[in-house]
């Protein structure tokens, strides 16, 4: 606590100096013992320290502040920048950005070390792992000279290297250093997919059939100066151009070609599967429509059969009731022939087959008696005459016709007309012949009526109407 209070003014002064240098884009000078933690902040770091993305982003920002440079994608002019910095057409950075342009850093990918490995594997790209330690004296020269070298940065961007870095003071970078067997800093390693060693000397077909694995292609660690130092920009650039790319590019190109072919095959299979699913869907819909049509047809036929059965039953019931009436009551309504001396009405009936019936009927005869006379000629019934009143028989006839639900002419099976002038004689209960103009007699024409003709009038199809 006492040391924090004593060093607080120095901490404020250092923060002001770093702010001024960062604003003017001036690299911070190397100060002896700068790696010692004299200016430790009073407040502890937040819990986001354990987040690999946040840790990487903080390290990249501190690298920009220390070197006075900016990452490639941030410093590229808008007119030259495309949709992705990894797809930029690179030339000479000094010629394109101008001599007064800020210094550049590679585009660092944020995340954990394992995520970077998975990204290199999935996108079939070369990875560049950069590890530093703020307590090594060679690290500041490496940051200011190697990481900001235009040729080195452009080479990484041109060949779409996945660049990741960190300080081993952080847990993620320290774990990567352990896995990469780092012994000193700064440290640079290149990794990429390579065929397994067991198939390195086999034929092409065997190598293509084996699964590639991520391999550490080279390790570079130590000082960055002079120009021939292991981590100098010239040494790393020559290594990439002369050794790394010729060794790795053919195999990665074959992997990308195979991946593109697999992607095309997958897209083709997806299109075929989609077409098959669409065809199956249409077939299912067609089958569903066929089943639905069959169901509707069956229901229609069943309903038609039910209607026909009900109609047959109703027809049978009406026919039985009509025949019963003919046997029991019709004879009471058929008019008896009167002698000429009683002053009867002379009725001449012309039947459909050309026959003529001449009958002398009483003047109190009704239209019902006239219909019963014609009906008795068509359908005779030899039964004993019941002992009931004629009025009861006519009332029974009226109720029978009304309960049948049929038109009167259909129930009787014929219609009556006067010959001249031609007028219909509809059946009505308790209507006398004298009330319809036949008090002096007349000629009656009989026309047959069937149920099919009545259905034609109601709009139903019959054989006669076709």
């Amino acid at each position: 606590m006492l040391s924090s209070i004593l060093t607080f003014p120095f901490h404020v002064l250092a923060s002001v100096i770093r702010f001024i240098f960062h604003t003017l884009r001036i690299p911070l000078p190397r100060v002896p013992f700068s790696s010692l933690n004299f200016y430790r902040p009073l407040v502890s770091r937040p819990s986001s320290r354990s987040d690999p993305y946040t840790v990487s982003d903080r390290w990249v920002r501190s690298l920009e502040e220390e070197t006075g440079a900016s990452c490639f994608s941030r410093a590229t002019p808008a007119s030259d920048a495309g949709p992705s910095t990894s797809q930029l057409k690179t030339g000479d950075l000094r010629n394109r950005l101008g001599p007064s342009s800020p210094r550049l850093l590679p585009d660092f990918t944020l995340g954990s070390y394992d995520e970077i490995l998975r990204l290199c594997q999935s996108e079939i790209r070369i990875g560049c792992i950069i590890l530093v330690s703020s307590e090594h004296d060679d690290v500041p020269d490496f940051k200011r000279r190697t990481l900001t070298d235009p040729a080195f940065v452009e080479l990484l961007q041109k060949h779409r290297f996945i660049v990741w870095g960190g300080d081993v003071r952080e847990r993620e970078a320290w774990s990567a250093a352990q896995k990469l067997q780092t012994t000193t800093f700064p440290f640079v390693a290149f990794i990429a997919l390579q065929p397994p060693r067991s198939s390195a000397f086999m034929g092409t077909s065997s190598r293509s059939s084996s699964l590639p694995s991520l391999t550490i292609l080279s390790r570079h660690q130590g000082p960055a100066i002079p120009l021939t130092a292991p981590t100098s920009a010239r040494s790393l650039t020559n290594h990439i151009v002369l050794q790394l790319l010729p060794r790795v590019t053919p195999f990665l190109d074959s992997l990308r070609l195979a991946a593109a072919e697999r992607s095309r095959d997958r897209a083709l299979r997806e299109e075929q599967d989609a077409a098959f699913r669409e065809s199956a869907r249409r077939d299912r819909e067609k089958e569903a429509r066929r089943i639905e049509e069959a169901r509707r047809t069956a229901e229609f036929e069943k309903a038609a059969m039910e209607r026909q059965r009900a109609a047959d039953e109703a027809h049978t019931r009406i026919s039985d009731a009509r025949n019963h009436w003919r046997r029991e009551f019709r004879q009471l309504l058929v008019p008896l022939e009167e002698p000429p001396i009683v002053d009867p009405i002379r009725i001449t009936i012309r039947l459909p087959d050309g026959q003529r019936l001449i009958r002398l009927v009483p003047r109190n005869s009704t239209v019902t008696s006239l219909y019963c006379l014609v009906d008795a000629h068509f359908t005779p019934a030899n039964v004993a005459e019941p002992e009931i009143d004629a009025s009861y028989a006519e009332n029974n006839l009226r109720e029978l016709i009304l309960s049948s639900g049929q038109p009167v002419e259909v129930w009787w099976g014929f219609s009556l007309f006067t010959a001249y002038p031609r007028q219909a004689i509809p059946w009505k209960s308790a209507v006398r012949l004298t009330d319809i103009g036949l008090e002096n007699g007349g000629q009656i024409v009989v026309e047959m009526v069937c149920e099919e003709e009545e259905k034609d009038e109601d709009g139903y199809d019959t054989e006669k109407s076709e």
Side-chain angles (χ1 to χ4, degrees), residues 206-360:
S206 175
R207 183 167 57 251
S208 60
S209 62
S210 59
L211 295 177
S213 59
L214 281 176
T215 304
I216 301 175
L217 304 175
S218 61
R219 295 182 180 88
H220 310 267
Q221 50 191 349
I225 53 177
L227 296 179
T228 57
T231 59
S232 66
R234 176 181 294 181
S235 298
L236 293 177
T237 302
N238 291 337
H239 171 73
I240 293 174
V241 174
L242 301 178
Q243 300 181 28
L244 185 65
L245 292 178
R247 171 188 173 188
V248 176
T249 301
F251 182 72
L252 295 184
D253 289 342
S254 65
L255 290 181
R256 295 188 187 102
L257 180 61
E261 292 179 354
R262 288 194 301 270
S263 178
R264 287 193 297 268
D265 293 342
R266 182 168 57 255
L268 179 61
R269 286 195 301 270
E270 290 177 355
E271 292 179 359
Q272 293 174 347
D273 293 342
F276 176 77
R277 289 192 297 270
E278 180 64 19
S279 177
R281 184 188 62 81
R282 290 196 298 265
D283 292 342
R284 288 194 300 270
E285 292 179 353
K286 183 178 180 181
E287 182 66 16
R289 288 194 299 269
R290 186 190 65 79
I291 294 175
E292 181 64 18
E293 291 176 358
R295 184 186 64 80
R296 291 180 179 177
T297 302
E299 291 180 354
F300 178 80
E301 293 178 352
K302 182 179 179 180
M305 292 176 62
E306 291 292 333
R307 291 194 299 270
Q308 184 63 35
R309 182 180 61 81
D312 293 343
E313 292 178 354
H315 184 272
T316 302
R317 183 176 63 257
I318 295 172
S319 179
D320 292 343
R322 184 168 49 236
N323 292 334
H324 176 73
W325 176 83
R326 284 170 177 169
R327 290 192 303 268
E328 300 295 335
F329 306 108
R330 186 184 63 184
Q331 190 63 27
L332 297 175
L333 300 176
V334 176
L336 299 177
E337 189 172 4
E338 295 287 342
I341 59 176
V342 185
D343 191 18
I345 299 176
R346 180 185 177 89
I347 299 297
T348 302
I349 302 174
R350 186 174 66 187
L351 301 175
D353 58 359
Q355 296 185 22
R356 291 177 180 270
L357 297 178
I358 301 175
R359 193 72 174 245
L360 299 175

Side-chain angles (χ1 to χ4, degrees), residues 86-113:
S86 61
Q87 298 177 356
L88 291 174
K89 294 183 178 180
T90 58
D92 185 78
L93 290 180
R94 293 187 182 89
N95 294 335
R96 188 168 72 251
L97 299 178
S100 62
S101 299
R103 305 173 71 183
L104 297 178
L105 288 170
D107 275 336
F108 287 91
T109 303
L110 306 182
S112 65
Y113 176 70

Side-chain angles (χ1 to χ4, degrees), residues 53-73:
Y53 182 91
T54 304
V55 172
S56 299
D57 182 66
R58 185 168 57 246
W59 181 79
V60 172
R61 291 183 181 275
S62 66
L63 181 63
E64 290 180 332
E65 293 178 359
E66 185 176 350
T67 59
S70 298
C71 288
F72 187 88
S73 58

Side-chain angles (χ1 to χ4, degrees), residues 74-136:
R74 301 181 187 179
T76 302
S79 59
D80 293 337
S84 174
T85 58
S86 61
Q87 298 177 356
L88 291 174
K89 294 183 178 180
T90 58
D92 185 78
L93 290 180
R94 293 187 182 89
N95 294 335
R96 188 168 72 251
L97 299 178
S100 62
S101 299
R103 305 173 71 183
L104 297 178
L105 288 170
D107 275 336
F108 287 91
T109 303
L110 306 182
S112 65
Y113 176 70
D114 293 336
E115 290 174 346
I116 299 303
L117 297 183
R118 288 192 294 268
L119 188 62
C120 293
Q121 190 170 11
S122 62
E123 297 190 3
I124 314 177
R125 293 162 62 184
I126 304 174
C128 177
I129 309 300
I130 299 174
L131 299 176
V132 297
S133 174
S134 58
E135 300 188 4
H136 281 70

